[in-house]
Amino acid sequence: MTGLNRRSRLITEGVARSPNRAMLRAVGFQDSDFEKPIVGVANGHSTMNPCNAGIQPLVDRAVEALKDAGAMPQVFGFPTVTDGIGMGTEGMKYSLVSREVIADSIEVAVNGQRMDGVVAVGGCDKNMPGSMMAMARMNVPGIFVYAGTIKPGFWKGEKLTIVSPFEAVGAFTAGKMSQEDFEGIEKNACPSVGACGGQYTANTMSSSFEALGMSLIGSSQMASPDKEKADSAAESARVLVEAIRRDLKPRDIITRKSIENAVALVMATGGSTNAVLHYLAIAHSAGVKWTIDDFERVRRKVPVLCNLKPSGPYVATDFHAAGGVPQVLKMLLVNGVLHGECMTIHGKTMAEMLKSVPAEPRKDQDVIRPWSDPLYKQGHLTILKGNLSPEGCVAKISGLKQTSITGPARVFDSEPECLKAIMAKKIKPGDVIVIRYEGPKGGPGMQEMLAPTSALIGQGLGASVGLLTDGRFSGGTWGMVVGHVAPEAYEGGVIALVEDGDSITIDAKKHLIELNVPARELARRRKLWKQPKPRYSTGVLAKYIKLVSTASRGAVTD
């Protein structure tokens, strides 16, 4: 591979580079190794959470495969924050922030040491977009290896995911669940390592990376403990070395059309609202023109084909067994809503990679619906605009018969305030909950509202209560929920002017979110409004407040 490693070649040229070579000899380099490409292995292993606890064996397999393929692997770590553990605490404010920290960490390691390529191995929600943002920024050959999904838990024959304990809290406090079932669900929800098992944010982003072309086709829904997952990590390493040989870089793969492919996959699988935020950020990092309105354009032409949790009964391992992402991609391709000419990390086009996949799903399963009989005729993530969110916000309408509501506002200036009211049974059918000052700057960090939304579901209010916020939602959330309201309250958005009892309309079919208050009254309230002091004045959260953009631009910091 002499002459192909344009970055690590810097350490082989001239006497001036001898100190560099000396230091590399201390970590195992021999004379012949200096002509090999140096490949970073960004390792998200952590014993703090099941999502990342199974990563080290995957890294070990990738390292071994890189060496066998003629590269010199160099392992470094990046931090991770797991939403399921941080949820409902101040720690949750670091979750979205960690996406930027991960991207920065990988950029610093790879560019600082002039590596020739990078294999990123991650599991929890922000590992995926953070890694992809870094790859797109650096434009050094890269591939993402997903740590894999968790296997489902079971209690009394019911399939469980991490969302099950959150919903159990609401059901238990409403007197709809026994102590035995409450404890049984908590103890059995997470039976193995791996990321949350429904089509929540981790599985949404990992599966969309197949569609984007930056992960191995067929690899994203494998269970973390299974042998095939480790085998795919090794194959990913071999594919990356070939990409380095060919000088196939992320910006050759991440284009406007490939992002459209990824978003189409998100829609078809009923994926997380967070995909909107993350693909705005990935497009920004790749220098691709992509706006919040593009999601609505894709939504209108892509049906929901997969009956997955949180609103359906099936989990990621069921999806994988039924044909997984390749099956859905082939259906999108043959029906004209996938760009088959897009390049993939395999060095082949998407159409070439899907050539042997059948055009329709198997008839012995109900996870992936046929094109002629979709779950919904159009995508489930819709962009709403109106006086409450002129920049646009995101509604998730899967699992709902009614997609509109007009009701009195119940206003809370933080997520904990709202959860306290729900647990005290102060929320009634027809109410529209407003949770504000939880946006990118105001939170800071756009906390996910899984605790209040799950409590509403558990109390049987998921379909009869609206909820809007300038914060985010977990991929496990469903119901009449609207997130990413922009401009946010901290920046003086109209959401900051809402008062208890005001009439609010959420209408997904009309793509409308409206505060039904006269403009003159809103002008009066605006004169009285004062921006609150930032919640943090030092550390990473203070830096984030100063740098972060609006959610409608992906909440990016560069």
Side-chain angles (χ1 to χ4, degrees), residues 364-380:
D364 64 346
Q365 55 81 45
D366 188 43
V367 185
I368 306 172
R369 304 282 283 271
W371 189 269
S372 60
D373 185 28
L375 208 59
Y376 306 101
K377 292 182 179 180
Q378 293 183 319
H380 64 300

Side-chain angles (χ1 to χ4, degrees), residues 516-536:
N516 302 311
V517 171
R520 182 176 295 180
E521 171 61 14
L522 291 179
R524 183 192 70 81
R525 294 180 189 179
R526 182 168 296 285
K527 289 181 180 179
L528 299 174
W529 178 81
K530 293 182 180 180
Q531 185 179 58
K533 292 182 179 180
R535 286 174 169 162
Y536 291 84

Side-chain angles (χ1 to χ4, degrees), residues 264-333:
L265 191 282
V266 171
M267 296 293 180
T269 58
S272 168
T273 53
N274 285 308
V276 175
L277 201 68
H278 297 329
Y279 271 103
L280 287 168
I282 290 167
H284 172 79
S285 296
V288 172
K289 183 180 179 182
W290 187 268
T291 71
I292 195 169
D293 295 320
D294 286 309
F295 293 93
E296 181 61 27
R297 176 176 57 82
V298 176
R299 184 196 71 82
R300 291 175 180 174
K301 61 182 181 180
V302 178
V304 179
L305 299 170
C306 300
N307 198 11
L308 301 171
K309 286 180 178 288
S311 57
Y314 297 111
V315 296
T317 51
D318 298 323
F319 182 33
H320 183 56
V325 173
Q327 180 63 78
V328 176
L329 290 176
K330 184 59 174 278
M331 295 167 70
L332 296 174
L333 178 66

Side-chain angles (χ1 to χ4, degrees), residues 152-344:
F154 290 91
W155 176 248
K156 294 184 176 179
E158 180 184 352
K159 201 169 281 185
L160 304 177
T161 70
I162 186 58
V163 175
S164 304
F166 282 93
E167 293 182 355
V169 170
F172 182 71
T173 57
K176 297 181 179 181
M177 180 177 288
S178 69
Q179 182 80 30
E180 178 195 10
D181 288 340
F182 182 66
E183 293 180 358
I185 289 172
E186 182 263 313
K187 292 177 180 179
N188 291 279
C190 297
S192 74
V193 295
C196 302
Q199 195 65 350
Y200 311 146
T201 303
N203 282 325
T204 295
M205 295 308 296
S206 66
S207 59
S208 73
F209 283 2
E210 289 188 44
L212 186 66
M214 289 293 292
S215 286
L216 291 192
I217 299 296
S219 67
S220 67
Q221 304 297 293
M222 297 172 177
S224 184
D226 289 353
K227 180 179 181 297
E228 65 175 354
K229 183 70 258 185
D231 291 343
S232 78
E235 179 62 17
S236 296
R238 289 188 286 268
V239 167
L240 177 65
V241 173
E242 182 59 30
I244 294 172
R245 286 194 177 101
R246 299 180 56 176
D247 198 26
L248 178 60
K249 298 187 290 292
R251 293 196 184 193
D252 300 324
I253 298 170
I254 305 173
T255 64
R256 181 172 170 82
K257 286 185 177 180
S258 72
I259 289 177
E260 185 166 319
N261 286 349
V263 173
L265 191 282
V266 171
M267 296 293 180
T269 58
S272 168
T273 53
N274 285 308
V276 175
L277 201 68
H278 297 329
Y279 271 103
L280 287 168
I282 290 167
H284 172 79
S285 296
V288 172
K289 183 180 179 182
W290 187 268
T291 71
I292 195 169
D293 295 320
D294 286 309
F295 293 93
E296 181 61 27
R297 176 176 57 82
V298 176
R299 184 196 71 82
R300 291 175 180 174
K301 61 182 181 180
V302 178
V304 179
L305 299 170
C306 300
N307 198 11
L308 301 171
K309 286 180 178 288
S311 57
Y314 297 111
V315 296
T317 51
D318 298 323
F319 182 33
H320 183 56
V325 173
Q327 180 63 78
V328 176
L329 290 176
K330 184 59 174 278
M331 295 167 70
L332 296 174
L333 178 66
V334 298
N335 287 281
V337 292
L338 193 81
H339 300 287
E341 72 274 22
C342 289
M343 181 54 62
T344 71

